[in-house]
Amino acid sequence: MLALRLGLSLGSPRPMGVWNPSDETTLEAWYKKGAGISLNGSDVAEWADSTTNGHDMAQATATEQPAYSNGVLTFVAADTNNLQTTTQISIADEFTIGFVANPGAYNNVILGDNTTSNEFFKYSAADRFLIKIDGTSKTFSLDSGTWGDNYIVVTRDDTGKIELYKNGVKQADSETLTGTADIDAIGVRATDVNPFEGTIEEIQIYTAQNDTLTANINAYLSGI
C-alpha cells in the first residue's frame, strides 16, 4: 500500500513574533505534532524530521508501525511498535529534550538507540524516569503524583547536571550524567528491548541548554 504523506501541522497557527522551535539553530531534530507523517493505511510508516538535518524516523515492518489518529501516535509494546532513523543523533555536551506523551505502562523506552547498547530515556516506574548514557544510568523521581498525559522537558548543562520538568514545573531531583547521548529510535532501545506502550504527540531535541530555551519549550508544549 502506498504511504500517505501528511505534511501539515494540526496545531493552530502561531502569531508572528511568538517563539517557534525552528527559531533555534541548535534544534537537532523535531518530530512535530501532525507534520511529516507518512501513513501505511492508518499506521505510521515515517515521521519526518521537521528540521533540515534529515533525522527521519521510519518503520518498514508493517506489524511494528505505531497507529495514528489526529496527530497522536499510539505505540503497543506487545507489537514492538517503534520508529528508527538511519542518521545517528549523538550529543556529547548540553542538550534539551522536550516531548508530549502518555505512557500506558512502565519500564518502557520513549527515546533510545537500537544500534548502540545502553543508551535510552525511559519511564521506569509510575513516578520515576531513567536516563542511561554510555552505560551509566540515573533515575529521577517526581516530586509527587504519577505520569499521565504530560509535557516533559529534560535538560543537561555543560557540567553534566540533568534536570527534569513535568508540565512546566522543575522537579527537585537532579542528577549528574556526562557522556555522549546516542539516539536513533523512538519507542525502543538495543536491541528491540523495552518497547514503548502509550501515546506520543511531539518530540523536540536540541544541542543546547539555557533557561530561556527551557521556558520557551515548556510554553510551546503546553499548547499542544
Side-chain angles (χ1 to χ4, degrees), residues 72-75 100-104 110 123 149 196-201:
V72 179
L73 285 72
T74 299
F75 292 72
V100 179
N102 187 2
I110 184 166
Y123 292 93
D149 189 4
F196 185 72
E197 175 86 21
T199 62
I200 301 174
E201 298 181 49

Side-chain angles (χ1 to χ4, degrees), residues 122-166:
K122 75 175 181 181
Y123 292 93
S124 58
D127 61 350
R128 293 192 298 277
F129 195 79
L130 187 147
I131 301 174
K132 196 167 191 177
I133 297 173
D134 291 348
T136 300
S137 62
K138 297 289 184 179
T139 299
F140 300 79
S141 298
L142 294 178
D143 291 351
S144 62
T146 59
W147 302 113
D149 189 4
N150 310 130
Y151 60 95
I152 306 300
V153 175
V154 180
T155 70
R156 181 171 73 174
D157 67 15
D158 57 3
T159 70
K161 182 180 180 181
I162 297 179
E163 296 182 312
L164 185 147
Y165 297 73
K166 177 189 174 188

